[in-house]
Amino acid sequence: MASSETIPATGRNWQLTARPRGWPEPDDFALREEPVAEPEEGQVLVRNLAFSVDPYMRGRMDDVKSYAPPFQLDRPMDGGAVGEVLASRAEGYAPGDHVVHGLGWREYATLPAERAGKISADAAPLTAYLGVLGMPGLTAYAGLLEVASFQPGDAVFVSGAAGAVGSIVGQIARIKGASRVIGSAGSDEKVAKLTGRYGFTEAFNYKSAPVAEQLKAAAPDGIDVYFDNVGGDHLEAALRSFNVHGRAAICGMISQYNATEAQPAPRNLAQLIKKRIRLQGMLVQDHEALRPRFLDEVPAWIRSGELVYDETFVDGIENGVDAFLGMLRGENTGKMVVRLAR
């Protein structure tokens, strides 16, 4: 077995200890120490350098059938991570290689090499593979261009626009020739960043006034595409502002993830008929065929400066749950990432 250093006996991982009702609480989680498994044939042992916290993880904390299995109680949680191979019993993987994989929320991960993708720190910072060059970036790319059928000249509205996905959606729309890009965010500071750093045409703070009123003012001639990360009043406002044959990619509904009671649907669904609107839900795993094109275009835009991205870092595995809860509260700009101490 190839190994770059002594394999640690134990490592820490986060586990869900109770199903949250409403907003998760720190007491719903526990940071526990468990033995580190040496790799078997075809496996690699990875020391995680960073892991991702994402909105979809809130749904996995409920014991309901969905597109991703629920987290098991008192078992390590998982999610995107980047790390360094410590030991390998797999052809093509050597100690010192950097990989992206799906066993985050822990210091060390032992997994089949086929589930770990090699990445290079020379091409981009490793954490970019958790954000702009990873799942959130492909979500933005596929959701806008394939699901919402974006066309040059479209007016585009993005909710949750300062987040890991929304900030990329708006910039791709701008690069691809949108006539207008409007974003909503939850603070004046984020609004300023949308129009300044990310190049949105207009942006507004959804906490300042009703969303429908602010969207109408920002897009007096209506919108053609809506990228939905929020649901609720944002979706209702988009239906009101859509032009005929408007299209929406329904990516997330973070406004409802912690609700304890059924939320009212948009009250203006008749707009779907009147304007022949198309609403389509999306999951990024359905769009793997776009990955080669995505990895051709997006890095080139980053190199040219046409597309920029932000990351919000929280340091230390012991602060992983705080990072997750902060992300749900909108405390991040761009991708929220937990960096592990070396």
Side-chain angles (χ1 to χ4, degrees):
M1 178 175 63
S3 175
S4 63
E5 60 185 72
T6 303
I7 295 174
T10 61
R12 293 175 293 173
N13 61 70
W14 278 104
Q15 301 182 14
L16 187 69
T17 59
R19 302 284 179 198
R21 177 165 173 78
W23 279 87
E25 300 288 344
D27 289 346
D28 295 328
F29 307 86
L31 183 61
R32 292 172 172 163
E33 193 155 349
E34 295 189 341
V36 173
E38 293 192 12
E40 299 178 355
E41 190 66 32
Q43 293 185 327
V44 292
L45 168 62
V46 179
R47 173 173 51 208
N48 285 337
L49 302 176
F51 66 83
S52 176
V53 291
D54 300 282
Y56 82 90
M57 294 174 174
R58 174 60 187 88
R60 297 188 64 194
M61 294 173 187
D62 298 327
D63 190 13
V64 295
K65 186 177 180 179
S66 185
Y67 60 89
F71 291 129
Q72 297 181 50
L73 294 181
D74 300 308
R75 297 291 301 160
M77 297 191 295
D78 56 73
V82 293
E84 178 184 354
V85 175
L86 283 187
S88 172
R89 293 187 62 187
E91 184 177 352
Y93 290 81
D97 287 345
H98 290 119
V99 294
V100 58
H101 62 90
L103 293 183
W105 289 93
R106 67 196 76 190
E107 291 179 302
Y108 299 95
T110 303
L111 69 155
E114 63 190 25
R115 297 182 185 173
K118 281 190 180 181
I119 55 178
S120 171
D122 296 331
L126 295 178
T127 52
Y129 293 91
L130 300 177
V132 64
L133 297 180
M135 179 270 289
L138 181 58
T139 299
Y141 187 91
L144 178 70
L145 301 181
E146 190 161 84
V147 179
S149 306
F150 171 85
Q151 297 296 321
D154 281 343
V156 178
F157 172 45
V158 186
S159 60
V165 174
S167 60
I168 305 303
V169 172
Q171 292 182 81
I172 295 175
R174 169 177 52 77
I175 292 167
K176 291 287 191 178
S179 62
R180 199 170 189 81
V181 182
I182 304 107
S184 72
S187 73
D188 293 341
E189 180 182 8
K190 288 182 178 180
V191 166
K193 181 163 281 191
L194 290 178
T195 55
R197 179 166 168 77
Y198 300 143
F200 282 58
T201 313
E202 299 280 350
F204 59 84
N205 183 341
Y206 67 84
K207 298 177 182 177
S208 298
V211 174
E213 294 178 7
Q214 296 194 80
L215 178 57
K216 183 177 180 180
D221 296 324
I223 62 172
D224 303 294
V225 167
Y226 173 44
F227 196 102
D228 191 9
N229 292 303
V230 175
D233 57 352
H234 282 73
L235 178 55
E236 186 170 293
L239 293 173
R240 175 178 170 181
S241 285
F242 263 130
N243 294 322
V244 173
H245 298 302
R247 293 94 61 203
I250 310 299
C251 176
M253 293 194 174
I254 197 168
S255 68
Q256 301 179 22
Y257 289 167
N258 296 301
T260 57
E261 298 180 358
Q263 300 297 295
R267 296 163 295 181
N268 56 348
L269 287 176
Q271 296 287 334
L272 296 173
I273 303 167
K274 176 183 176 183
K275 298 177 180 177
R276 284 83 85 196
I277 295 166
R278 171 162 59 86
L279 307 182
Q280 183 174 333
M282 71 162 294
L283 296 177
V284 66
Q285 56 260 43
D286 295 338
H287 303 279
E288 277 297 316
L290 283 180
R291 188 176 292 276
R293 199 173 98 196
F294 162 74
L295 290 176
D296 179 57
E297 288 199 280
V298 173
W301 293 333
I302 294 172
R303 289 192 298 269
S304 70
E306 293 175 275
L307 189 150
V308 298
Y309 67 94
D310 287 300
E311 297 168 301
T312 300
F313 294 109
V314 173
D315 289 319
I317 190 172
E318 65 275 7
N319 296 314
V321 167
D322 289 341
F324 172 71
L325 297 177
M327 177 274 304
L328 289 181
R329 291 190 293 263
E331 294 175 1
N332 58 299
T333 298
K335 186 75 191 76
M336 182 73 94
V337 175
V338 179
R339 292 187 295 203
L340 279 64
R342 292 295 301 268

